């Protein structure tokens, strides 16, 4: 197994250094450890090394891990994958955050299905900023309507925007792809103080994302090693 503790130290150090290079405030970028396809033992290793926020992409896997680690009550569970409406209840009942809201129907269901007694579900709207290449995410032109909808739902709390851009050939090109999203985020967060999260940056584009203003990077491979999809049923 990858040396998860050493990797976490390395990634955290890299984030701190990038933040400093961009003259941003220390600690302004949170690390979400993306643990999809990795065993519970890998999450435990990261937890023991101090990591608390974990991101999962597959509903059943996320819920299984949530139950397996329910004794670690300070874990923060983030759902970052596509959501089918027949799986929304499982997410509403377990997760603390959802980054991948891109359909009105899913937003409504998550709010309706949130268990009484749980705090509102923190959500980010997923925006498609590389056009044709991905079907997930709304267009920026649809953002106003989606913000209004989420703000009308009692059990969701809008925290920001998320994107998964296609990889670009250079740092400058990666920043250019992020630019319209960053502009939309700045507009939103200026008018609403609850909006504090720009969820961009993965193992391959941390520098461009942090320079662009990311407040939460989602890192899998650099912490847990390569994923082996063939092992997954
Ligand atoms: C898998 C995944 C990540 C992490 O990707 P790495 O390249 O392994 O760091 C981040 N965000 C989303 C939405 C993902 O699906």
């Amino acid at each position: 197994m990858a040396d998860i503790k050493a990797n976490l130290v390395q990634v955290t150090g890299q984030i701190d250094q990038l933040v400093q290079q961009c003259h941003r405030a220390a600690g302004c970028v949170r690390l979400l450890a993306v643990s999809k396809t990795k065993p519970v033992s890998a999450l435990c290793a990261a937890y023991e090394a101090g990591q608390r926020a974990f991101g999962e992409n597959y509903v059943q896997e996320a819920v299984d891990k949530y139950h397996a680690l329910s004794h670690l009550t300070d874990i923060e569970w983030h759902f970052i994958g596509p959501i089918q409406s027949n799986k929304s209840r499982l997410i509403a009942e377990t997760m603390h955050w959802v980054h991948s809201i891109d359909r009105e129907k899913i937003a409504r269901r998550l709010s309706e299905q949130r268990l009484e007694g749980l705090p509102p579900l923190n959500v980010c709207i997923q925006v498609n900023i590389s056009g044709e290449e991905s079907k997930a995410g709304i267009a920026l032109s649809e953002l106003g309507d989606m913000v209004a909808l989420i703000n009308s739902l009692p059990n969701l709390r809008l925290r920001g925007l998320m994107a998964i851009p296609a990889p670009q050939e250079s740092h400058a090109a990666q920043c250019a792809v992020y630019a319209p999203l960053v502009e939309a985020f700045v507009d939103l967060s200026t008018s609403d103080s609850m909006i504090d999260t720009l969820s961009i940056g993965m193992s391959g584009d941390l520098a461009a994302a942090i320079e662009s203003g990311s407040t939460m990077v989602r890192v899998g491979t650099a912490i847990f090693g390569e994923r082996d999809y063939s092992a997954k049923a």
Side-chain angles (χ1 to χ4, degrees), residues 163-190:
I164 316 173
Q168 304 296 316
E169 291 196 346
S170 69
H171 177 87
Q174 203 82 54
C175 291
V177 167
Y178 279 134
L181 178 77
V182 171
E183 194 181 324
F185 175 71
V186 170
D187 280 353
L188 273 181
S189 55
T190 312

Side-chain angles (χ1 to χ4, degrees), residues 34 36 57 80 162 164 202-203 218-221 227:
V34 177
K36 63 184 179 211
N57 285 61
I80 62 174
M162 180 273 232
I164 316 173
M202 310 182 16
S203 297
R218 309 179 308 265
V219 179
T221 309
R227 288 177 288 275

Side-chain angles (χ1 to χ4, degrees), residues 17-82:
Q17 196 184 354
L18 288 165
V19 164
Q20 208 176 8
Q21 276 168 16
C22 305
H23 308 291
R24 296 182 58 197
C28 67
V29 178
R30 291 186 73 198
L31 172 60
L32 181 64
V34 177
S35 43
K36 63 184 179 211
T37 78
K38 297 296 175 181
V40 167
S41 58
L43 283 81
C44 285
Y47 182 90
E48 277 162 30
Q51 182 64 29
R52 292 296 178 269
F54 291 89
E56 290 284 340
N57 285 61
Y58 308 102
V59 178
Q60 196 55 54
E61 181 185 341
V63 172
D64 288 348
K65 287 175 177 169
Y66 165 87
H67 287 299
L69 295 173
S70 59
H71 56 292
L72 304 177
T73 52
D74 58 349
I75 288 188
E76 193 178 271
W77 292 101
H78 293 240
F79 192 78
I80 62 174

